[in-house]
């Protein structure tokens, strides 16, 4: 059976897709796509992209933090990623006195680069197909342990819902320092208003440096560490891009659901996303109002607001896209054709029935879990109570608990505002009780709210009496705390949630088990389809071309934006659109130095561009490369109508958004005054 599966996979990889720009391909298997890539303008080889025998592009790409991508642009560990990927680190290092979010930050020397506690980057050493080893009885844990003996980190990831297994081996570097970041008025220009839309005018980049021990191996932070010397770094091209130019994305896309059935799509478009959008809208309104009134709160909640808003707006576009494409209907039609083929094959004849039944069984519990997470689970002090209660159940004695609790209390309080949390709690508890299915709110909790006279009075009681917002408290005070009591009342729901905890509805084991034979069946049946494994935060290659698109009837969006659009949006009265005065002055004088070029007869600076590369969350910060493998941009987003591409990729309208590398260099040079960084780079 395993040889049959591998044969089907190899045939699927070699198939020519009708939508050739769709796909997130494993680098070690990219040879199956090179012919198609070269027909679109790629000029290098498969071994240039991925090799274990010599330095290749893979050695210049890193997993940045826990969910972004970055790329080396110098032989001394200089790293580019998105501003929003570095946002949490920049916020962590900021204060009212040193507001690096508003003002930006540029190290004037290596000594001024700022260590970021807790930040790491991971570099792929190698990947290996271990499908046959696992099928022969070797345990993935043993494979991982053997790969980690020499100091690497490793894991085994499933592809095609377990039909293929790959070992990924990494070097993890934990001494990462902030080198430069533009002010948020450039790096986050447009804020939530412009997020996920085109045209875009955001200089979404930040600069870090990776440090290593004297042996160039990973090491904890030390003044004795030296800049890491990567095996490969990208050459930077200032030739620019034009419509039709080949582009390639090399990065770590997070999660896609290309092959799920109509059950999953309908749940996302009609149930899950609408509920989450509504709840997050209320939270964001509360936070934004508080930020507008107080600069300290604006900094304190900047990263939290951005994190909440990013998925919130993505879900809105996803719903619009899935409905516009009629994805549920198309999936059902596809399933009917598959069912007709499978009917005469006993091993597949009832697969769809089993999948539909599995979704029907787990969907109610999964909805409750999502609602819980997005409502009461979003109350910060409540989450703190849950975390500490977990610690309380594991440690022995009051003193040990107090040490553990109070040791982490400063980090909780640093970015915490009780007024915001109280307002959020009132709205989220009300929504939780209203949206829960009949009879599912724990009786003890419902009674507690009722006894206090309703939600607002109950929330007032919680916040007026909790000790969890204080710097110190005793174990006895913790045990008697009303928020801790609330956590105990809702604990049965948490226990139930554990049974359906998964990245998405289709990842619940009772559902996922049926996708292993379903994927195998699809590959046997749909032989003209090019199957690529769903994204799972492992290194992938996507390729396409620079291209505009028709946004609406008669409304064509060109693929390149410029500084003219920045100035048109500039508004000193709106924080997200208030650009630095020096940028206004440069524009007025057209003083762009080497970074200016002619666009439609005007002297300006290119800012962003769009292309047809298939991307997802995790691709933020990915290098955008031209046909010669040179860096031309940094990927940071998708267009709003593209966000459904996690479930259905529409080549007519799906576009990734990248900041043009020329704008990055312009900002580093002319806004940041850090031209010395450019001297490290190989710029063509």
């Amino acid at each position: 059976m395993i040889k049959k599966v591998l044969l089907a996979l190899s045939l699927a990889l070699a198939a020519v897709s009708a939508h050739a720009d769709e796909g997130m391909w494993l680098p070690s298997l990219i040879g199956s796509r090179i012919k198609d890539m070269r027909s679109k303008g790629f000029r290098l080889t498969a071994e240039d992209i991925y090799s274990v025998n010599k330095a290749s592009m893979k050695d210049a790409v890193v997993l940045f933090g826990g969910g972004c991508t970055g790329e080396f642009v110098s032989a001394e560990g200089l790293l580019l990623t998105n501003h929003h990927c570095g946002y949490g680190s920049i916020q962590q290092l900021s204060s009212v006195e040193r507001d690096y979010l508003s003002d930006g930050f540029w190290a004037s020397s290596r000594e001024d680069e700022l260590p970021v506690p807790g930040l790491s980057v991971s570099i792929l050493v190698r990947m290996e197909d271990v499908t046959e080893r696992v099928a022969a009885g070797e345990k993935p844990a043993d494979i991982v342990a053997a790969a980690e003996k020499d100091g690497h980190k490793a894991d085994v990831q499933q592809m095609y819902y377990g039909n293929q297994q790959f070992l990924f081996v990494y070097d993890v570097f934990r001494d990462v320092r902030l080198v430069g970041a533009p002010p948020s008025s450039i790096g986050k220009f447009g804020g939530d208003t412009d997020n996920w839309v085109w045209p875009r005018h955001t200089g979404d980049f930040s600069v870090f440096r990776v440090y290593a021990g004297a042996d160039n191996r990973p090491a904890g932070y030390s003044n004795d560490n030296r800049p890491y010397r990567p095996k490969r770094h990208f050459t930077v091209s200032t030739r620019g891009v034009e419509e039709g130019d080949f582009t390639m994305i090399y990065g770590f896309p997070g999660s896609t659901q290309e092959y799920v059935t109509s059950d999953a799509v309908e749940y996302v478009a009609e149930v899950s996303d609408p509920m989450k959008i509504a709840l997050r809208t209320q939270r964001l309104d509360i936070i934004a109002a508080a930020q507008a009134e107080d600069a300290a709160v604006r900094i304190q909640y900047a990263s939290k607001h951005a994190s909440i808003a990013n998925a919130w707006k993505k879900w809105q576009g996803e719903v619009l896209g899935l409905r516009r494409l009629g994805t549920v209907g198309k999936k059902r039609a596809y399933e009917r054709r598959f069912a007709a083929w499978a009917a005469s094959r006993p091993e597949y004849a009832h697969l769809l029935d089993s999948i539909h039944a599995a979704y029907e069984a787990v969907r109610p519990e999964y909805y409750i879990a999502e609602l819980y997470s997005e409502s009461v689970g979003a109350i910060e002090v409540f989450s703190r109570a849950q975390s500490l209660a977990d610690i309380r159940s594991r440690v022995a004695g009051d003193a040990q608990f107090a040490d553990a609790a109070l040791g982490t209390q400063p980090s909780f309080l640093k970015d915490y505002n009780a007024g915001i949390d109280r307002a959020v709690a009132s709205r989220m508890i009300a929504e939780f009780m209203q949206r829960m299915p009949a009879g599912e709110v724990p009786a003890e909790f419902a009674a507690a709210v009722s006894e206090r006279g309703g939600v607002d009075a109950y929330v007032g009681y919680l916040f007026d009496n909790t000790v969890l917002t204080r710097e110190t408290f005793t174990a006895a005070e913790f045990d008697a705390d009303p928020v801790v009591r609330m956590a105990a009342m809702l604990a049965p729901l948490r226990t139930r949630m554990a049974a359906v905890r998964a990245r998405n509805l289709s990842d619940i084991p009772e559902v996922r088990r049926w996708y292993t034979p379903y994927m195998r069946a699809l590959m046997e049946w749909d032989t003209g389809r090019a199957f690529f494994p769903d994204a799972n935060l492992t290194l992938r290659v996507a390729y396409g071309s620079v291209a505009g698109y028709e946004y609406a009837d008669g409304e064509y969006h060109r693929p390149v934006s410029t500084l003219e659009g920045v100035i048109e949006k500039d508004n000193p009265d709106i924080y997200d659109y208030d650009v630095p005065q020096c940028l206004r002055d440069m524009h007025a004088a057209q003083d762009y130095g080497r970074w200016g070029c002619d666009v439609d007869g005007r002297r300006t600076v290119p800012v962003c561009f769009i292309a047809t590369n298939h991307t997802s969350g995790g691709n933020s910060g990915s290098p955008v490369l031209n046909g010669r493998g040179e860096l031309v941009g940094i990927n940071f987003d998708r267009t709003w109508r593209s966000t459904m591409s996690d479930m259905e990729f529409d080549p007519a309208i799906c576009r990734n958004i990248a900041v043009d590398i020329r704008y990055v260099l312009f900002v580093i040079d002319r806004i940041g005054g850090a031209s010395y960084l450019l001297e490290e780079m190989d710029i063509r």
Side-chain angles (χ1 to χ4, degrees), residues 326-343:
T327 304
V328 173
K330 287 195 281 189
K331 288 275 187 181
R332 286 175 177 160
Y334 187 77
E335 290 157 22
R336 286 193 294 270
R337 296 195 299 274
F338 169 78
W341 171 86

Side-chain angles (χ1 to χ4, degrees), residues 11 30 268 384 397 426 483 499 544 560 638 683:
L11 291 173
I30 198 63
V268 166
R384 178 68 173 158
S426 289
V483 182
V560 176
R638 285 172 282 174
I683 300 176

Side-chain angles (χ1 to χ4, degrees), residues 5-84:
V5 171
L6 292 175
L7 176 60
L9 287 168
S10 64
L11 291 173
L13 287 168
V16 177
S17 174
H19 307 317
D21 290 346
E22 180 182 10
M24 300 173 175
W25 307 98
L26 290 168
S28 62
L29 303 178
I30 198 63
S32 66
R33 309 302 304 176
I34 285 295
K35 183 177 179 180
D36 189 51
M37 293 174 70
R38 291 187 66 83
S39 73
K40 292 175 168 59
F42 189 60
R43 296 291 174 259
L44 303 177
T45 68
E47 197 171 21
D48 289 318
I49 295 174
Y50 177 90
S51 176
V52 293
N53 299 314
K54 66 175 187 178
S56 61
M57 289 183 193
K58 78 166 176 61
D59 301 306
V61 183
V62 309
L63 178 62
F64 183 88
C68 280
T69 303
E71 57 272 357
F72 289 117
V73 290
S74 88
E76 298 178 90
L78 197 67
L79 184 78
L80 295 179
T81 188
N82 287 154
H83 184 268
H84 77 260

